[in-house]
Amino acid sequence: MKRRKAMKKVLIFVLFLTLVASFGLFATGAAEVKSPSNEVTLYYSHSADWTDPLIKEFQDRTGIKVNLVGAPTGELVARIRAEKDNPLGDLLWGGGSDSYQVIIDLLEPYEHAHMNKVLAETRDPGNRWHGTSIDPMVIVYNPKLVSEKDAPKGWGDLLNPIFKGRIAHADPVRSGSAFMALVIQLFTMGGDNEVGWKYISDFVDNLERKVVGSSTLGFKGPADGEYLVGIAYEEGALRYVHSGANLKVVYPIEGSSKVPSPIAIIKNGKNTENAKKFVDFILSADVQSKLGDVHRRAVRSDVQLPEYMTPNEKLGDFYWDTVWIGENKDRLLNKWKDLIIGK
């Protein structure tokens, strides 16, 4: 009888421990269930003057708070690399696609809500980054200093002796847009071969082996009369023209490129679902249709560009191969540096 009572007490005690353990596991599980996030962290390198209104509109529409971290693209890429084991950001927006390619394994594939409306050549084939605008390179000149007869019509005209030492062009080693120009000039003027590099060598001679300190001087220098012509990114050149500057924009007859300026979701971020909503928002028709107001070029095929922009289909057929360019960037820049120092 005593033994039966003892066994009964043991069973009750074991049952008690089981219940306690079960409650503990339940409580732990409950603690791990996260409530839906109401924020997203955006790493961005675009100018705040045109992106901040769009970001505010996203917040107003969705109620999602956007935590902003602004810095040059290179710094943000380095930050994403450093945080790969514990990402603190959710999105990267700004810079060129070659910057995204070097961290491609740290980006989350995503098929956004507008895939069939966006130009296919403006996104990564694996959907790990998506172009939000197209940034072609253009030639600019000061019409008060350059006659219509002598005005450049393409890359080849930059070899004209009248422009010798009077071309504003940034250093491709330091400037992403100047590097874009180098690649576009190389391939539209012959290719990565003897012909193409002969053109680049002659172009460097006409620069008198001198480059300007920043990409903005590509359009500011000619407008201010310090240079006759310049190579510039389209958005900056158009913005300066519409501010009243003495500047004309030329889309090179040999072609430019549909170089995308992307956005990407950072892999294993803490707010991935909200990051997807932000990508869908930026690539929506109503947001893309506003880009022309800030001199940027939409990536959607159903959005009409401003009249002062050459249509996308007339930018030329040079394909900006991000993978190839990323693999060959150092080699191209080393050849450029050799030409600049006269090797």
Side-chain angles (χ1 to χ4, degrees):
M1 188 73 176
K2 288 182 179 180
R3 187 177 178 184
R4 188 177 296 175
K5 284 184 178 181
M7 286 293 295
K8 187 174 182 181
K9 286 180 180 180
V10 169
L11 287 172
I12 292 171
F13 182 68
V14 170
L15 180 60
F16 173 75
L17 289 178
T18 303
L19 288 172
V20 169
S22 299
F23 179 77
L25 287 171
F26 173 77
T28 302
E32 289 176 352
V33 176
K34 297 178 180 178
S35 60
S37 167
N38 198 39
E39 61 182 13
V40 68
T41 298
L42 173 65
Y43 290 175
Y44 76 138
S45 58
H46 282 305
S47 298
D49 58 350
W50 69 272
T51 55
D52 282 4
L54 294 179
I55 292 166
K56 181 180 184 304
E57 183 176 342
F58 172 77
Q59 292 182 133
D60 292 343
R61 284 194 197 182
T62 64
I64 296 170
K65 179 186 176 185
V66 180
N67 303 311
L68 297 175
V69 179
T73 308
E75 290 183 17
L76 295 172
V77 166
R79 182 169 183 159
I80 291 170
R81 276 176 165 161
E83 297 171 353
K84 63 184 177 62
D85 295 327
N86 182 30
L88 301 179
D90 301 299
L91 290 156
L92 175 64
W93 188 26
S97 54
D98 53 312
S99 296
Y100 290 65
Q101 202 61 36
V102 299
I103 54 168
I104 198 70
D105 292 337
L106 303 180
L107 305 178
E108 181 75 24
Y110 176 52
E111 292 190 17
H112 58 74
H114 316 286
M115 294 289 286
N116 64 336
K117 296 295 184 182
V118 173
L119 299 173
E121 60 265 42
T122 64
R123 63 174 174 258
D124 164 53
N127 297 319
R128 290 159 294 188
W129 54 259
H130 297 272
T132 59
S133 62
I134 294 172
D135 296 333
M137 298 301 295
V138 298
I139 299 170
V140 297
Y141 70 94
N142 187 322
K144 289 192 173 183
L145 302 177
V146 180
S147 69
E148 194 68 30
K149 175 177 69 72
D150 293 327
K153 295 179 176 59
W155 303 118
D157 293 331
L158 296 181
L159 304 185
N160 191 325
I162 68 171
F163 300 137
K164 192 173 182 68
R166 304 295 302 278
I167 304 170
H169 182 48
D171 185 358
V173 176
R174 299 178 58 195
S175 164
S177 60
F179 175 70
M180 283 163 49
L182 169 62
V183 175
I184 293 168
Q185 287 174 277
L186 178 66
F187 279 91
T188 58
M189 297 303 294
D192 183 23
N193 52 39
E194 187 176 345
V195 175
W197 282 106
K198 175 63 167 62
Y199 164 80
I200 297 296
S201 178
D202 292 343
F203 172 65
V204 169
D205 286 343
N206 226 31
L207 287 174
E208 293 186 336
R209 293 182 168 79
K210 297 175 184 175
V211 291
V212 297
S214 72
S215 57
T216 56
L217 287 174
F219 51 87
K220 288 183 177 180
D224 294 342
E226 188 177 353
Y227 296 89
L228 298 180
V229 297
I231 296 176
Y233 53 96
E234 180 188 50
E235 181 269 334
L238 292 176
R239 177 164 38 86
Y240 223 55
V241 167
H242 287 100
S243 72
N246 293 317
L247 208 63
K248 284 200 171 182
V249 175
V250 176
Y251 292 91
I253 57 174
E254 301 90 351
S256 187
S257 179
K258 302 180 186 73
V259 182
S261 179
I263 192 169
I265 298 172
I266 300 168
K267 188 178 287 185
N268 298 323
K270 295 175 174 59
N271 305 288
T272 298
E273 291 307 309
N274 290 342
K276 291 177 180 179
K277 292 176 184 177
F278 190 85
V279 172
D280 289 345
F281 168 78
I282 291 298
L283 291 171
S284 64
D286 57 333
V287 172
Q288 286 280 303
S289 65
K290 296 174 183 177
L291 294 185
D293 297 337
V294 289
H295 312 111
R296 302 195 75 89
R297 186 178 287 264
V299 295
R300 287 183 65 112
S301 58
D302 58 348
V303 170
Q304 187 170 357
L305 298 176
E307 291 183 0
Y308 56 79
M309 282 185 179
T310 288
N312 286 330
E313 60 270 20
K314 292 187 177 181
L315 290 175
D317 56 6
F318 166 57
Y319 171 60
W320 185 265
D321 187 340
T322 302
V323 175
W324 185 92
I325 291 166
E327 291 172 347
N328 289 273
K329 185 173 184 177
D330 288 344
R331 178 179 62 82
L332 299 178
L333 288 176
N334 285 335
K335 291 193 75 166
W336 167 269
K337 286 187 282 189
D338 287 346
L339 291 173
I340 285 289
I341 64 176
K343 268 192 179 182

